[in-house]
Short mmCIF file of all heavy atoms in Angstrom, two decimals:
data_model
loop_
_atom_site.label_atom_id
_atom_site.label_comp_id
_atom_site.label_asym_id
_atom_site.label_seq_id
_atom_site.Cartn_x
_atom_site.Cartn_y
_atom_site.Cartn_z
N ALA A 923 1.24 4.00 -0.48
CA ALA A 923 0.94 5.38 -0.86
C ALA A 923 2.17 6.27 -0.68
O ALA A 923 2.46 7.14 -1.52
CB ALA A 923 -0.22 5.91 -0.04
N LYS A 924 2.92 6.05 0.40
CA LYS A 924 4.12 6.85 0.65
C LYS A 924 5.17 6.60 -0.43
O LYS A 924 5.80 7.54 -0.93
CB LYS A 924 4.70 6.53 2.02
CG LYS A 924 5.97 7.31 2.35
CD LYS A 924 6.55 6.90 3.68
CE LYS A 924 7.79 7.75 4.00
NZ LYS A 924 8.85 7.58 3.00
N LEU A 925 5.37 5.33 -0.80
CA LEU A 925 6.37 5.01 -1.81
C LEU A 925 5.98 5.60 -3.17
O LEU A 925 6.83 6.11 -3.90
CB LEU A 925 6.53 3.50 -1.91
CG LEU A 925 7.06 2.80 -0.65
CD1 LEU A 925 7.09 1.29 -0.86
CD2 LEU A 925 8.45 3.32 -0.28
N ILE A 926 4.70 5.53 -3.50
CA ILE A 926 4.23 6.11 -4.76
C ILE A 926 4.46 7.62 -4.76
O ILE A 926 4.94 8.19 -5.75
CB ILE A 926 2.74 5.79 -4.97
CG1 ILE A 926 2.56 4.30 -5.28
CG2 ILE A 926 2.15 6.63 -6.10
CD1 ILE A 926 1.13 3.84 -5.33
N ALA A 927 4.11 8.28 -3.65
CA ALA A 927 4.29 9.72 -3.57
C ALA A 927 5.76 10.10 -3.73
O ALA A 927 6.09 11.09 -4.43
CB ALA A 927 3.74 10.24 -2.24
N GLU A 928 6.66 9.35 -3.10
CA GLU A 928 8.09 9.65 -3.21
C GLU A 928 8.59 9.50 -4.63
O GLU A 928 9.35 10.33 -5.13
CB GLU A 928 8.88 8.73 -2.28
CG GLU A 928 8.77 9.08 -0.81
CD GLU A 928 9.63 8.18 0.06
OE1 GLU A 928 10.02 7.09 -0.40
OE2 GLU A 928 9.88 8.56 1.21
N GLN A 929 8.16 8.43 -5.30
CA GLN A 929 8.62 8.20 -6.66
C GLN A 929 8.13 9.30 -7.61
O GLN A 929 8.85 9.72 -8.52
CB GLN A 929 8.13 6.83 -7.15
CG GLN A 929 8.71 5.64 -6.41
CD GLN A 929 10.20 5.47 -6.66
OE1 GLN A 929 10.64 5.21 -7.77
NE2 GLN A 929 10.99 5.66 -5.61
N ILE A 930 6.90 9.77 -7.40
CA ILE A 930 6.37 10.86 -8.23
C ILE A 930 7.15 12.14 -7.98
O ILE A 930 7.53 12.86 -8.92
CB ILE A 930 4.87 11.06 -7.95
CG1 ILE A 930 4.07 9.85 -8.44
CG2 ILE A 930 4.36 12.33 -8.63
CD1 ILE A 930 2.59 9.92 -8.13
N GLN A 931 7.40 12.46 -6.71
CA GLN A 931 8.10 13.69 -6.37
C GLN A 931 9.55 13.69 -6.86
O GLN A 931 10.12 14.75 -7.14
CB GLN A 931 8.06 13.92 -4.86
CG GLN A 931 6.66 14.27 -4.35
CD GLN A 931 6.62 14.39 -2.83
OE1 GLN A 931 6.72 13.41 -2.11
NE2 GLN A 931 6.46 15.61 -2.35
N GLN A 932 10.15 12.51 -6.97
CA GLN A 932 11.53 12.40 -7.45
C GLN A 932 11.61 12.29 -8.97
O GLN A 932 12.69 12.19 -9.54
CB GLN A 932 12.20 11.17 -6.83
CG GLN A 932 12.39 11.27 -5.32
CD GLN A 932 12.90 9.98 -4.70
OE1 GLN A 932 13.39 9.10 -5.41
NE2 GLN A 932 12.77 9.86 -3.39
N GLY A 933 10.46 12.30 -9.64
CA GLY A 933 10.44 12.23 -11.10
C GLY A 933 10.67 10.84 -11.65
O GLY A 933 10.91 10.69 -12.86
N LYS A 934 10.59 9.81 -10.81
CA LYS A 934 10.81 8.43 -11.25
C LYS A 934 9.51 7.72 -11.64
O LYS A 934 9.54 6.61 -12.16
CB LYS A 934 11.49 7.63 -10.14
CG LYS A 934 12.85 8.16 -9.72
CD LYS A 934 13.42 7.33 -8.58
CE LYS A 934 14.76 7.85 -8.12
NZ LYS A 934 15.30 7.07 -6.98
N LEU A 935 8.38 8.36 -11.37
CA LEU A 935 7.09 7.75 -11.64
C LEU A 935 6.14 8.85 -12.11
O LEU A 935 6.05 9.91 -11.47
CB LEU A 935 6.54 7.08 -10.37
CG LEU A 935 5.12 6.50 -10.41
CD1 LEU A 935 5.06 5.35 -11.40
CD2 LEU A 935 4.71 6.04 -9.02
N SER A 936 5.45 8.59 -13.21
CA SER A 936 4.51 9.59 -13.70
C SER A 936 3.24 9.58 -12.85
O SER A 936 2.85 8.53 -12.32
CB SER A 936 4.14 9.30 -15.16
OG SER A 936 3.34 8.13 -15.24
N PRO A 937 2.58 10.73 -12.68
CA PRO A 937 1.33 10.75 -11.90
C PRO A 937 0.26 9.83 -12.47
O PRO A 937 -0.54 9.27 -11.71
CB PRO A 937 0.90 12.22 -11.98
CG PRO A 937 2.16 12.98 -12.23
CD PRO A 937 3.00 12.07 -13.08
N GLN A 938 0.24 9.65 -13.78
CA GLN A 938 -0.77 8.78 -14.39
C GLN A 938 -0.58 7.33 -13.95
O GLN A 938 -1.55 6.66 -13.55
CB GLN A 938 -0.70 8.87 -15.93
CG GLN A 938 -1.09 10.23 -16.49
CD GLN A 938 -0.02 11.28 -16.32
OE1 GLN A 938 1.16 10.96 -16.08
NE2 GLN A 938 -0.40 12.55 -16.45
N ILE A 939 0.66 6.84 -14.01
CA ILE A 939 0.91 5.47 -13.58
C ILE A 939 0.76 5.35 -12.07
O ILE A 939 0.24 4.36 -11.55
CB ILE A 939 2.32 5.01 -14.02
CG1 ILE A 939 2.40 4.96 -15.55
CG2 ILE A 939 2.65 3.63 -13.44
CD1 ILE A 939 3.75 4.54 -16.08
N GLY A 940 1.21 6.37 -11.34
CA GLY A 940 1.06 6.36 -9.88
C GLY A 940 -0.40 6.29 -9.47
O GLY A 940 -0.74 5.61 -8.49
N GLN A 941 -1.27 6.96 -10.18
CA GLN A 941 -2.70 6.92 -9.89
C GLN A 941 -3.26 5.54 -10.08
O GLN A 941 -4.10 5.08 -9.30
CB GLN A 941 -3.42 7.93 -10.79
CG GLN A 941 -4.89 8.09 -10.51
CD GLN A 941 -5.46 9.28 -11.27
OE1 GLN A 941 -5.24 10.42 -10.93
NE2 GLN A 941 -6.20 8.98 -12.33
N ARG A 942 -2.79 4.83 -11.11
CA ARG A 942 -3.21 3.45 -11.33
C ARG A 942 -2.68 2.54 -10.23
O ARG A 942 -3.41 1.70 -9.70
CB ARG A 942 -2.72 2.95 -12.69
CG ARG A 942 -3.46 3.51 -13.89
CD ARG A 942 -2.71 3.22 -15.17
NE ARG A 942 -2.28 1.83 -15.24
CZ ARG A 942 -1.30 1.39 -16.02
NH1 ARG A 942 -0.63 2.23 -16.78
NH2 ARG A 942 -0.98 0.12 -16.03
N MET A 943 -1.41 2.72 -9.87
CA MET A 943 -0.79 1.85 -8.87
C MET A 943 -1.44 2.03 -7.50
O MET A 943 -1.50 1.08 -6.70
CB MET A 943 0.71 2.12 -8.79
CG MET A 943 1.47 1.75 -10.04
SD MET A 943 3.23 2.18 -9.97
CE MET A 943 3.80 1.03 -8.73
N LEU A 944 -1.93 3.22 -7.21
CA LEU A 944 -2.58 3.47 -5.93
C LEU A 944 -3.78 2.55 -5.73
O LEU A 944 -4.11 2.17 -4.60
CB LEU A 944 -3.03 4.93 -5.84
CG LEU A 944 -3.71 5.35 -4.54
CD1 LEU A 944 -2.72 5.31 -3.38
CD2 LEU A 944 -4.32 6.75 -4.68
N CYS A 945 -4.43 2.15 -6.83
CA CYS A 945 -5.64 1.32 -6.74
C CYS A 945 -5.36 -0.05 -6.13
O CYS A 945 -6.26 -0.66 -5.55
CB CYS A 945 -6.26 1.15 -8.13
SG CYS A 945 -6.80 2.68 -8.89
N TYR A 946 -4.12 -0.55 -6.25
CA TYR A 946 -3.82 -1.87 -5.72
C TYR A 946 -2.62 -1.90 -4.77
O TYR A 946 -2.26 -2.96 -4.25
CB TYR A 946 -3.59 -2.88 -6.85
CG TYR A 946 -2.62 -2.45 -7.93
CD1 TYR A 946 -1.26 -2.67 -7.80
CD2 TYR A 946 -3.08 -1.82 -9.08
CE1 TYR A 946 -0.38 -2.28 -8.78
CE2 TYR A 946 -2.20 -1.42 -10.08
CZ TYR A 946 -0.86 -1.64 -9.93
OH TYR A 946 0.02 -1.24 -10.91
N CYS A 947 -2.00 -0.76 -4.52
CA CYS A 947 -0.86 -0.71 -3.61
C CYS A 947 -1.24 -0.29 -2.19
O CYS A 947 -0.36 0.01 -1.38
CB CYS A 947 0.22 0.22 -4.16
SG CYS A 947 1.16 -0.51 -5.52
N VAL A 948 -2.52 -0.23 -1.89
CA VAL A 948 -2.99 0.05 -0.53
C VAL A 948 -3.57 -1.25 0.02
O VAL A 948 -4.69 -1.63 -0.29
CB VAL A 948 -4.04 1.18 -0.52
CG1 VAL A 948 -4.58 1.39 0.89
CG2 VAL A 948 -3.44 2.47 -1.06
N ASN A 949 -2.78 -1.95 0.82
CA ASN A 949 -3.15 -3.29 1.29
C ASN A 949 -2.94 -3.42 2.80
O ASN A 949 -2.08 -2.75 3.37
CB ASN A 949 -2.30 -4.35 0.59
CG ASN A 949 -2.23 -4.16 -0.90
OD1 ASN A 949 -3.17 -4.46 -1.63
ND2 ASN A 949 -1.11 -3.63 -1.39
N SER A 950 -3.71 -4.30 3.41
CA SER A 950 -3.45 -4.63 4.81
C SER A 950 -2.36 -5.69 4.86
O SER A 950 -2.46 -6.73 4.22
CB SER A 950 -4.72 -5.14 5.49
OG SER A 950 -5.25 -6.26 4.79
N GLY A 951 -1.30 -5.42 5.59
CA GLY A 951 -0.16 -6.33 5.64
C GLY A 951 -0.40 -7.52 6.54
O GLY A 951 -1.36 -7.56 7.33
N PRO A 952 0.47 -8.53 6.47
CA PRO A 952 0.30 -9.74 7.29
C PRO A 952 0.41 -9.47 8.79
O PRO A 952 -0.25 -10.14 9.58
CB PRO A 952 1.44 -10.65 6.80
CG PRO A 952 2.45 -9.73 6.18
CD PRO A 952 1.65 -8.61 5.59
N ALA A 953 1.22 -8.50 9.19
CA ALA A 953 1.33 -8.19 10.62
C ALA A 953 0.00 -7.75 11.19
O ALA A 953 -0.35 -8.06 12.33
CB ALA A 953 2.39 -7.12 10.84
N PHE A 954 -0.76 -7.02 10.39
CA PHE A 954 -2.06 -6.52 10.86
C PHE A 954 -3.11 -7.63 10.87
O PHE A 954 -3.75 -7.89 11.89
CB PHE A 954 -2.52 -5.37 9.97
CG PHE A 954 -3.91 -4.90 10.28
CD1 PHE A 954 -4.20 -4.29 11.49
CD2 PHE A 954 -4.94 -5.08 9.37
CE1 PHE A 954 -5.48 -3.87 11.78
CE2 PHE A 954 -6.22 -4.66 9.65
CZ PHE A 954 -6.50 -4.05 10.86
N VAL A 955 -3.30 -8.32 9.73
CA VAL A 955 -4.40 -9.28 9.64
C VAL A 955 -4.14 -10.53 10.49
O VAL A 955 -5.10 -11.17 10.94
CB VAL A 955 -4.67 -9.68 8.17
CG1 VAL A 955 -5.19 -8.50 7.38
CG2 VAL A 955 -3.42 -10.27 7.52
N ILE A 956 -2.87 -10.86 10.72
CA ILE A 956 -2.57 -12.03 11.55
C ILE A 956 -2.45 -11.63 13.02
O ILE A 956 -3.16 -12.15 13.89
CB ILE A 956 -1.28 -12.73 11.08
CG1 ILE A 956 -1.44 -13.26 9.65
CG2 ILE A 956 -0.92 -13.88 12.03
CD1 ILE A 956 -0.16 -13.82 9.06
N GLY A 957 -1.57 -10.68 13.30
CA GLY A 957 -1.29 -10.34 14.68
C GLY A 957 -2.32 -9.46 15.35
O GLY A 957 -2.50 -9.53 16.57
N SER A 958 -3.03 -8.64 14.57
CA SER A 958 -3.98 -7.70 15.17
C SER A 958 -5.43 -8.06 14.93
O SER A 958 -6.32 -7.39 15.46
CB SER A 958 -3.71 -6.28 14.64
OG SER A 958 -2.41 -5.87 14.96
N VAL A 959 -5.68 -9.06 14.10
CA VAL A 959 -7.06 -9.46 13.81
C VAL A 959 -7.30 -10.94 14.13
O VAL A 959 -8.07 -11.29 15.03
CB VAL A 959 -7.45 -9.17 12.34
CG1 VAL A 959 -8.86 -9.67 12.05
CG2 VAL A 959 -7.36 -7.68 12.04
N ALA A 960 -6.61 -11.82 13.40
CA ALA A 960 -6.91 -13.25 13.51
C ALA A 960 -6.59 -13.81 14.89
O ALA A 960 -7.39 -14.56 15.47
CB ALA A 960 -6.15 -14.02 12.43
N LEU A 961 -5.42 -13.49 15.42
CA LEU A 961 -5.03 -14.07 16.71
C LEU A 961 -5.87 -13.54 17.89
O LEU A 961 -6.40 -14.34 18.67
CB LEU A 961 -3.54 -13.84 16.96
CG LEU A 961 -2.60 -14.67 16.08
CD1 LEU A 961 -1.15 -14.35 16.39
CD2 LEU A 961 -2.87 -16.16 16.27
N PRO A 962 -6.03 -12.22 18.03
CA PRO A 962 -6.83 -11.77 19.18
C PRO A 962 -8.32 -12.04 19.02
O PRO A 962 -9.01 -12.28 20.02
CB PRO A 962 -6.56 -10.26 19.23
CG PRO A 962 -6.13 -9.90 17.86
CD PRO A 962 -5.41 -11.09 17.32
N LEU A 963 -8.82 -12.04 17.80
CA LEU A 963 -10.27 -12.17 17.59
C LEU A 963 -10.71 -13.62 17.46
O LEU A 963 -11.74 -14.01 18.01
CB LEU A 963 -10.67 -11.38 16.34
CG LEU A 963 -12.18 -11.17 16.12
CD1 LEU A 963 -12.77 -10.38 17.28
CD2 LEU A 963 -12.42 -10.43 14.81
N TYR A 964 -9.93 -14.43 16.75
CA TYR A 964 -10.32 -15.82 16.47
C TYR A 964 -9.39 -16.84 17.10
O TYR A 964 -9.68 -18.05 17.07
CB TYR A 964 -10.37 -16.06 14.96
CG TYR A 964 -11.29 -15.12 14.22
CD1 TYR A 964 -10.78 -14.09 13.44
CD2 TYR A 964 -12.68 -15.26 14.30
CE1 TYR A 964 -11.63 -13.21 12.77
CE2 TYR A 964 -13.52 -14.40 13.63
CZ TYR A 964 -12.99 -13.38 12.87
OH TYR A 964 -13.83 -12.52 12.21
N GLN A 965 -8.25 -16.41 17.61
CA GLN A 965 -7.23 -17.32 18.12
C GLN A 965 -6.88 -18.39 17.08
O GLN A 965 -6.70 -19.56 17.39
CB GLN A 965 -7.70 -17.97 19.43
CG GLN A 965 -7.90 -16.97 20.56
CD GLN A 965 -8.28 -17.62 21.87
OE1 GLN A 965 -8.30 -18.84 21.99
NE2 GLN A 965 -8.56 -16.80 22.87
#
């Protein structure tokens, strides 16, 4: 979301395309799902 917002504010990305990209650019990263979920919860 931060990268999309920066690109729109700098004029490198249109709000229309940025709105579409937001739908799939918000993801849980591997550090979270592995280190903060799988290892402490399931080992």
Side-chain angles (χ1 to χ4, degrees):
K924 179 183 182 299
L925 296 177
I926 289 173
E928 286 183 342
Q929 295 293 296
I930 292 176
Q931 291 176 289
Q932 294 173 16
K934 299 178 182 178
L935 174 65
S936 70
Q938 294 76 18
I939 295 179
Q941 186 170 286
R942 286 167 48 200
M943 294 176 69
L944 181 67
C945 298
Y946 49 87
C947 284
V948 177
N949 312 284
S950 57
F954 173 67
V955 294
I956 297 173
S958 300
V959 177
L961 289 179
L963 192 61
Y964 303 106
Q965 296 184 5

